[in-house]
Amino acid sequence: MSRPELTGHASLFYNEKEARKYDSSSRMIGVQREITERAVELLRLDDSKPSLVLDIGCGSGLSGQVLEERGHVWLGCDVSRDMLTVAKEHEEDTKVLQSTGDLMHHDMGSGLPFRPATFDACISISALQWLCYSNSAAQNPRKRLTRFFSSLYTVLKRGGRAVLQFYPETAEQAVLISETATKVGFAGGVVVDYPNSAKAKKHYLVLSFDRSLAPRRGALGTAEQDQKQQHVTVGEALGSNKGKKQPPRKKKGIKTKEWILHKKDAQRTKGKDVRPDTKYTARRRRGKF
Amino acid sequence: MRILTHNYLQSNVKGTEKGYPLLIEPNRVVVEESPVNLSMLQTLLPKLDYSAIVQAARQLATYEDANEAFTVPDLPDLLPETLDDLFLTALYKFLFDLHVIEGHLVCPDTGRKFPIKEGVPNMILHEDEL
């Protein structure tokens, strides 16, 4: 499947038709639900008391349903108006249950419009990768990512966690995203589920304020340093020693004593006439004068 | 949009100092009764800005006169030290059951208006407002 991110802005891709399709596809619902449950598991929320959770890119509210079932209060934001309309209809359908969620129309790339330290947790399902693409000259992916993460840092309560599931197109995108998150001060990293399967593979960026695990050396360094570091880890992961310079190997003489003895032995087994091995075998000649 | 959500929202337009609390200019407000969950309110209460709730109540009260469909509770200026169930229930109903369906949110510093349509506030900013 081609990537919808390449076709234009999210609010244009998720138009009314696409939003309905998305919401009525049972496969999509199943996948989204599974991802959300995994993300909530990674959030490690206390299910005994309600928490306030921010859902970024809530779409038609599928992820909100999972949070609701666990008794949390959520606030969803999405850039696609049509998706929100579908979500609103859902809310009206399930009036018996009385939804604990609320919706707002917002673009995460322009920063989150909330009071500081508001949310206990933040969740985002299949949305973050949209920030890596720019749809106009004024949009700079790096800038938008930084703006998003720094505002997320402010609106999250200290001790809160954020789990953001995303589909990176390339490894560089995953690096760019996690690098930006680290730069604004977050601790944490990327969890990859089913890394061996191309289809089921899922990336979760787990962010927290918890620095009990010391950040990897160079994680807070300059971009250049970071890239170097990344390069080495990638190289090692592939089982090669690219990037790491090995000391130049000392050129070994080809015709060593062992080699000559081995060769003579081989000739002998073939039945050829070979001079016997003596103390003179493979001895260097006296230098010429 | 619930009043609870209004309590969290803040304007991020370029040139704002605080951008909080946003002023509410309601055009249509609907009440949707929901089962009162006081324990939920009590866990959320420490994170709420009470003065912003009072301000929202004042603004909705002026709208109330034109339409008798809902009532805004009479909230004291400061959060009472002892919270009785009666007060909490009134607060819960105000925060969770009132939905602003149409209207505007206005940034207190710059006067930028954020429209509310079909119960969803639109907080999108243009590139030049960042």
Side-chain angles (χ1 to χ4, degrees):
Chain A
M1 200 183 97
S2 66
R3 294 180 68 84
E5 287 84 5
L6 297 170
T7 60
H9 196 251
S11 61
L12 298 174
F13 176 74
Y14 288 116
N15 53 18
E16 203 188 333
K17 187 178 148 227
E18 202 63 36
R20 301 245 168 253
K21 203 162 85 182
Y22 188 92
D23 192 60
S24 56
S25 153
S26 58
R27 186 188 75 89
M28 208 65 123
I29 294 172
V31 172
Q32 292 301 86
R33 221 192 141 75
E34 202 180 297
I35 298 173
T36 314
E37 272 164 8
R38 172 74 172 128
V40 172
E41 185 188 316
L42 288 169
L43 271 183
R44 292 203 300 207
L45 284 175
D46 183 3
D47 279 352
S48 61
K49 62 174 190 189
S51 308
L52 184 65
V53 185
L54 174 65
D55 184 355
I56 295 162
C58 61
S60 58
L62 294 170
S63 36
Q65 279 171 15
V66 177
L67 291 167
E68 237 162 77
E69 283 161 20
R70 288 160 194 256
H72 300 298
V73 184
W74 60 281
L75 178 58
C77 73
D78 205 290
V79 77
S80 157
R81 181 72 223 196
D82 292 301
M83 274 292 201
L84 290 171
T85 312
V86 175
K88 205 77 199 159
E89 281 167 20
H90 262 291
E91 233 174 74
E92 274 152 33
D93 290 346
T94 55
K95 209 171 263 177
V96 198
L97 284 165
Q98 193 49 239
S99 158
T100 55
D102 211 351
L103 304 165
M104 56 174 282
H105 191 188
H106 190 68
D107 178 13
M108 57 173 156
S110 57
L112 302 165
F114 302 105
R115 213 149 37 91
T118 301
F119 296 97
D120 297 310
C122 168
I123 197 172
S124 165
I125 308 298
S126 322
L128 204 53
Q129 71 275 8
W130 285 97
L131 279 183
C132 294
Y133 303 87
S134 68
N135 299 296
S136 68
Q139 287 186 345
N140 175 348
R142 199 175 275 273
K143 224 181 198 168
R144 278 163 64 78
L145 275 169
T146 312
R147 215 181 280 138
F148 167 69
F149 279 119
S150 55
S151 63
L152 180 64
Y153 193 86
T154 0
V155 304
L156 266 190
K157 218 177 66 180
R158 296 306 97 152
R161 269 174 168 242
V163 175
L164 311 126
Q165 184 268 328
F166 64 104
Y167 292 108
E169 189 181 9
T170 56
E172 284 80 39
Q173 271 187 10
V175 170
L176 176 69
I177 288 176
S178 56
E179 187 188 280
T180 320
T182 319
K183 247 180 224 162
V184 304
F186 275 118
V190 180
V191 175
V192 183
D193 278 5
Y194 312 109
N196 49 348
S197 157
K199 262 192 175 170
K201 190 172 179 177
K202 297 281 179 311
H203 291 71
Y204 299 85
L205 182 64
V206 183
L207 301 175
S208 67
F209 297 96
D210 191 12
R211 287 232 170 267
S212 60
L213 292 163
R216 183 167 53 79
R217 201 166 57 85
L220 288 168
T222 60
E224 209 182 329
Q225 271 178 350
D226 275 5
Q227 258 160 20
K228 250 188 215 161
Q229 188 88 17
Q230 281 302 335
H231 192 79
V232 172
T233 26
V234 169
E236 277 167 0
L238 292 173
S240 72
N241 279 327
K242 258 189 221 169
K244 231 188 228 171
K245 261 193 187 165
Q246 281 200 340
R249 197 179 291 167
K250 215 178 172 186
K251 221 176 185 180
K252 254 190 193 165
I254 304 166
K255 295 183 176 167
T256 56
K257 189 169 184 184
E258 297 89 73
W259 182 82
I260 294 173
L261 289 175
H262 178 257
K263 177 138 186 167
K264 285 174 96 173
D265 233 26
Q267 301 292 74
R268 236 176 251 124
T269 46
K270 281 185 186 168
K272 290 197 175 162
D273 185 24
V274 180
R275 303 291 293 165
D277 297 338
T278 64
K279 64 174 182 178
Y280 301 105
T281 309
R283 219 161 83 163
R284 284 177 66 209
R285 281 174 204 275
R286 203 166 7 124
K288 284 176 188 159
F289 50 88
Chain B
M1 185 200 73
R2 288 195 172 99
I3 305 302
L4 180 73
T5 309
H6 165 262
N7 206 279
Y8 302 131
L9 287 178
Q10 177 184 309
S11 153
N12 274 348
V13 187
K14 195 165 153 188
T16 37
E17 277 172 25
K18 201 167 169 235
Y20 186 84
L22 297 168
L23 312 170
I24 307 178
E25 286 180 3
N27 287 336
R28 196 157 81 84
V29 181
V30 166
V31 181
E32 277 176 26
E33 292 277 335
S34 66
V36 177
N37 185 343
L38 287 187
S39 65
M40 184 194 279
L41 179 63
Q42 261 159 343
T43 42
L44 292 177
L45 203 54
K47 271 174 285 170
L48 293 174
D49 188 325
Y50 184 73
S51 61
I53 303 177
V54 175
Q55 195 193 317
R58 299 253 161 82
Q59 280 156 12
L60 284 172
T62 56
Y63 170 75
E64 185 186 17
D65 297 338
N67 191 331
E68 291 295 316
F70 67 95
T71 50
V72 170
D74 195 16
L75 299 170
D77 281 347
L78 288 171
L79 191 65
E81 295 209 345
T82 49
L83 301 164
D84 55 353
D85 280 4
L86 208 66
F87 170 77
L88 286 175
T89 313
L91 194 60
Y92 182 91
K93 281 191 178 299
F94 180 60
L95 290 174
F96 281 84
D97 293 1
L98 280 192
H99 295 262
V100 181
I101 304 296
E102 305 283 334
H104 285 98
L105 291 172
V106 184
C107 169
D109 297 338
T110 58
R112 162 76 149 94
K113 286 193 169 188
F114 299 98
I116 306 172
K117 269 186 195 158
E118 292 166 36
V120 179
N122 183 347
M123 301 299 287
I124 291 186
L125 298 172
H126 301 293
E127 279 298 320
D128 55 338
E129 289 174 310
L130 297 169

